[in-house]
Amino acid sequence: MSGSGARTAAYGLLPADTTEEVRTRGAGVSTQVAVLPVGSFEQHGPYLPLATDTLVACAVAREIAAAYPVHLLPPVTVSCSHEHAAWPGTVSISAVTLHAVVNDIAGSLRRSGVEALVVVNGHGGNYVLGNVVQEASARGERLALYPAVEDWETALTRAGVETSALSDMHAGEIETSILLHAHPELVRPGYESADFTADDRRHLLTLGMSAYTESGVIGRPSLGSAEKGKELLSNLADSFGALFELLVAGRE
């Protein structure tokens, strides 16, 4: 039987640190901070890969790791994508499972001396991550969720992104720009003419994405550019500084 055709792969998603490099980095900081990219495996229209959210989360996390002394972790690649179940290729796990996975990772890190964990979320449907952080913080643990809405808003403005966060919901200007910069080889033709808007999505959780878009796209990918993607990542790394200081404050 012949194969299903040529496939492309994204490399560089797994950190290449040795245990000695992790030890050396940890010795130079008062509080060790780990960064965990959480993505998804879900449809992103006909031109972006199923792994888009993971690629975006990893791109943000790599930019952070290049600027701050953090322990970069491999990504969680399957999460809560139930709203995209109507499209082939989408895979989900339950919110309970994702909650448990992140808690287990945080606990394992603490046992090895890493006190703080930042979850870099690349998928808006991972609502449960906010609960994970809230509950951990109430227990006195150091967890954070990044980027916040305000971090995105600042980055969008500085990068010259034209569409709002509301209109650019999925496979639009933001995600297309980041992939055009970080993984241009994975962006297929067609994003230039795939714009579609659906700002009123009040029943999304009940009906799923297929009730609002036939293509799977909600946004204006035609406005995407590698330059915007580069600026988005740079500005998100800059904004991370305030969170980093918060997590290590008082530990000198």
Side-chain angles (χ1 to χ4, degrees):
M1 181 180 294
S2 63
S4 59
R7 293 181 174 179
T8 52
Y11 300 101
L13 296 186
L14 299 180
D17 283 344
T18 67
T19 188
E20 289 303 317
E21 288 167 336
V22 173
R23 179 181 287 114
T24 300
R25 186 184 304 112
V29 295
S30 58
T31 299
Q32 293 190 58
V33 178
V35 174
L36 174 68
V38 177
S40 72
F41 201 72
E42 65 186 37
Q43 71 83 21
H44 276 78
Y47 50 86
L48 295 183
L50 294 160
T52 289
D53 288 342
T54 299
L55 295 169
V56 169
C58 286
V60 174
R62 284 197 307 270
E63 199 85 8
I64 289 170
Y68 305 90
V70 299
H71 178 27
L72 180 61
L73 299 174
V76 175
T77 59
V78 178
S79 60
C80 302
S81 301
H82 312 284
E83 70 273 28
H84 299 278
W87 281 272
T90 297
V91 181
S92 290
I93 58 177
S94 71
V96 172
T97 300
L98 183 57
H99 190 297
V101 167
V102 175
N103 263 333
D104 282 356
I105 291 171
S108 177
L109 288 166
R110 287 193 298 274
R111 287 190 292 275
S112 66
V114 181
E115 297 178 52
L117 173 64
V118 178
V119 178
V120 175
N121 182 33
H123 172 47
N126 288 335
Y127 310 111
V128 69
L129 294 177
N131 299 119
V132 175
V133 171
Q134 287 177 322
E135 293 166 14
S137 298
R139 294 191 298 265
E141 300 163 8
R142 293 200 168 205
L143 259 72
L145 186 60
Y146 189 82
V149 172
E150 293 82 359
D151 299 311
W152 274 116
E153 289 177 347
T154 298
L156 295 177
T157 299
R158 292 179 178 175
V161 171
E162 298 179 45
T163 43
S164 68
L166 172 66
S167 297
D168 196 72
M169 188 256 188
H170 194 70
E173 183 180 3
I174 298 169
E175 291 179 320
T176 301
S177 292
I178 292 176
L179 261 67
L180 283 172
H181 167 64
H183 297 282
E185 73 282 2
L186 299 181
V187 181
R188 281 70 161 178
Y191 71 90
E192 304 91 342
S193 57
D195 291 4
F196 183 80
T197 56
D199 286 353
D200 188 343
R201 305 183 298 271
R202 68 188 73 190
H203 304 302
L204 176 66
L205 296 182
T206 301
L207 299 176
M209 281 280 290
S210 60
Y212 295 95
T213 170
E214 183 176 344
S215 67
V217 178
I218 296 180
R220 299 181 65 189
S222 68
L223 298 175
S225 72
E227 292 75 18
K228 291 177 183 177
K230 181 179 181 180
E231 286 300 311
L232 283 168
L233 294 175
S234 175
N235 281 289
L236 287 173
D238 287 344
S239 293
F240 182 80
L243 178 58
F244 183 78
E245 292 300 325
L246 176 67
L247 290 171
V248 302
R251 299 301 180 95
E252 298 293 343

